[in-house]
Each structure stands twice: as structure tokens, then as C-alpha cells.
Amino acid sequence: MSALRIATRRSDLAMAQAGIVRLMLKEQGRDAVLLPVDTTGDREGGTNKDRWIDAIVELLRTGEADLAVHSAKDLPADDPEDLVIAAVPERGDPRDVLVAADGAYFDGDGPRRGARVGTSSLRRAAQMRGAFPGVELVDLHGNVPTRLRKLQHEGGPDIAVLAAAGLDRLRLTPPVVKPLPVDVVVPAPGQGTLAIQCRTDDRPLRAALSVFEHGVSATTLRSERALTRALGGDCNLPLGAFAQVHGDTVHLAACVATPDGSTIVRATVEAADAEQAAKEVAAGLLERGAGEILDAVRAR
């Protein structure tokens, strides 16, 4: 049996995540090789999620790759008809964390007043401004190792906001790490979750990959993506969403914030299924003015 070909971006984190799935396949007796590619987003940047996966999905569509591994938060909220998320493994830590080279930049578990906090995410910046009004938000770009290196250099931020799961998967341990509770900074939809994608018509492979499905993680991702669809939030918008499964119900909490953090609208729902929770949370957010906030951000 020939080795499966896994398409992935070239970043350290993307390669590590694809390597996790490669190891999972090996444990099932299937060999796999990684096919790293540069996407349009890697070359040119941009906020449209399609730019960050275009070269990967092209390899799937042409048959040059058998499957792809994505950070679920990087996927558009809608799946194309010819491609499918065949499995969602168990979710990693969904939280954002504050990292620094020196604990002097903190006051307890939060940044001290006047600290320079780096992020390129509207969602993170808006919620940080709302939760910690005394901090200065500065742009911080690059992959995870690059962002960490910038903390060490003159002119760089004092603190970076990163995803806990990314640090875990890269096995990076910055000197100071302060997790942000999900009710203080709501994660991005899908944060900490991997999505294994393949062609819809490749039924044997879909069946083989289904053993990696983690039911609770798949349900929470489905709810968060449904909310993203309902709000039209496929771009870099200040939208946070975090779902949990409690017994037979889906608990979904979400927020939409103005970029300056002055207004943060929130909604929380428990419902019988993922889509219903998303529908009710979307309605609650829109009733509180989320639509106007998102429209203003899109128009910038």
C-alpha cells in the first residue's frame, strides 16, 4: 500500500500539526509523507482565509495529495462540495495565553498597566483592550517562533498573545506564560482544533480517517463554525466563540467587540444541538448590535 500524501503549509506549527496526524496514521499501520506548500497567504499575506489554504486544496483537487491537515480556525466556515472534513481529532487547549521573557511585565495574571502587548488579531486586541484598559496594543506578525523572538529584541512588545495549543504542539516553553480564561478573552472559532480534510468522493480514505474523530471536539467545532457562517465572519473580525458539550446539551458563548474594546457584546446559550446553539447565539449577538460592529469593521 503506497504512502498517503499529507498537504500542509510550511510553517513550523503547520508541519508539527501534520506530523501529529502522520504519527496517528502510523499507529494505524498507514505510512504517510508530508507535502509542504506555500499558499498565497504565506507569500502575500491578507485576511481572506481562502488565501491561506488555496495551494493545499489545489493539491487535493488534482489528486497530488490525499489529505490535508489544517488549523480549524484557518478554514472558511463553509466546506466546498468536493472537499470534506473527514475527522476532527481531540481538541487541544483552546485558550489564548500571554507570554513574556520577564515576569516584571505582569501584575498578577494580567499585563501591568503600560505594558506593550503584541498581536496581529483584531479579536485578541479588542478583547485585551476591554479587559486590560491600561495596556498598549502593538502589531506583532510572523509565525510563532518569530513572534517569540521579537519579545527579546529592542522595540518589540513586552508581552505576546498566542494560542496555547500552538505552543504545546511546538513544545515551546517561554519563560513566562499566563493563560487567559475563556470568559476574559473568548478564543477564535475552532482555536486549538485540527481538521483533517480529503476529497468528498474518496470514501475508503474517509472511512480510514473516521477513526480519528473525537465526537465532542467535532460537535464544538461544528457549533463555532455555524456561528461564524451566521455572522459572515470568515475574515479577520473581532469575533470570539467557544463551545462545550455538557451532557446532552451544547453550551456556546460568543462575543463581538469594537476594535477599540469600548463595546463588547456577548451571548451565551445552551441548546440541544450544535446548529441550534449557533442560531440562538447569533440572534442574541445581532439583537445587541453585533451586526453594526461587524459591518463597520468590514468597511475599514
Side-chain angles (χ1 to χ4, degrees):
M1 188 178 295
S2 60
L4 292 168
R5 299 159 297 173
I6 304 174
T8 174
R9 291 173 58 204
R10 292 183 189 274
S11 74
D12 292 343
L13 179 55
M15 293 288 285
Q17 292 176 162
I20 290 170
V21 175
R22 182 184 183 185
L23 181 59
M24 292 164 59
L25 286 163
K26 187 174 183 62
E27 292 171 348
Q28 294 292 319
R30 297 293 302 268
D31 290 329
V33 295
L34 304 186
L35 299 180
V37 297
D38 293 318
T39 66
T40 301
D42 291 310
R43 295 190 302 272
E44 303 174 7
T47 59
N48 187 311
K49 291 186 176 183
D50 287 319
R51 295 169 64 88
W52 295 90
I53 64 169
D54 54 6
I56 295 172
V57 299
E58 181 64 18
L59 289 180
L60 290 176
R61 286 175 168 145
T62 61
E64 295 173 73
D66 301 298
L67 65 148
V69 178
H70 303 278
S71 292
K73 69 177 183 178
D74 292 340
L75 284 176
D78 283 307
D79 293 317
E81 289 187 7
D82 59 334
L83 301 176
V84 65
I85 295 177
V88 177
E90 186 172 4
R91 188 177 202 167
D93 190 335
R95 296 174 296 177
D96 287 308
V97 295
L98 302 176
V99 302
D102 191 331
Y105 297 117
F106 291 90
D107 180 8
D109 288 333
R112 64 167 171 77
R113 192 170 188 85
R116 288 166 50 83
V117 179
T119 179
S120 60
S121 161
L122 276 180
R123 173 191 60 83
R124 288 171 173 155
Q127 292 188 76
M128 288 295 297
R129 289 188 176 103
F132 307 103
V135 303
E136 178 187 354
L137 270 294
V138 297
D139 281 337
L140 179 62
H141 296 272
N143 59 30
V144 175
T146 297
R147 296 184 192 201
L148 290 176
R149 284 195 296 273
K150 289 180 178 180
L151 289 173
Q152 314 289 337
H153 286 78
E154 183 177 351
D158 306 318
I159 298 170
V161 192
L162 301 171
L167 293 177
D168 292 343
R169 289 167 182 156
L170 287 169
R171 299 181 181 179
L172 295 173
T173 54
V176 184
V177 180
K178 303 280 188 178
L180 289 163
V182 294
D183 58 346
V184 174
V185 175
V186 185
Q191 184 159 304
T193 307
L194 298 181
I196 305 176
Q197 187 182 49
C198 71
R199 290 181 295 279
T200 304
D201 62 5
D202 193 343
R203 298 194 179 277
L205 182 55
R206 290 176 63 178
L209 295 173
S210 68
V211 300
F212 304 135
E213 179 91 337
H214 185 262
V216 168
S217 300
T219 297
T220 56
L221 177 61
R222 190 163 64 251
S223 188
E224 293 166 18
R225 292 183 85 207
L227 175 64
T228 303
R229 283 195 301 274
L231 296 177
D234 269 354
C235 296
N236 181 24
L237 296 175
L239 164 66
F242 180 55
Q244 298 170 282
V245 176
H246 296 158
D248 294 330
T249 63
V250 177
H251 179 277
L252 178 61
C255 73
V256 171
T258 55
D260 64 2
S262 61
T263 301
I264 301 178
V265 297
R266 302 179 186 271
T268 303
V269 160
E270 282 199 354
D273 61 68
E275 286 76 11
Q276 184 62 30
K279 180 179 179 181
E280 293 181 19
V281 166
L285 290 172
L286 292 172
E287 287 173 4
R288 295 168 175 83
E292 290 81 357
I293 294 172
L294 294 175
D295 286 344
V297 171
R298 293 187 188 99
R300 288 176 59 183

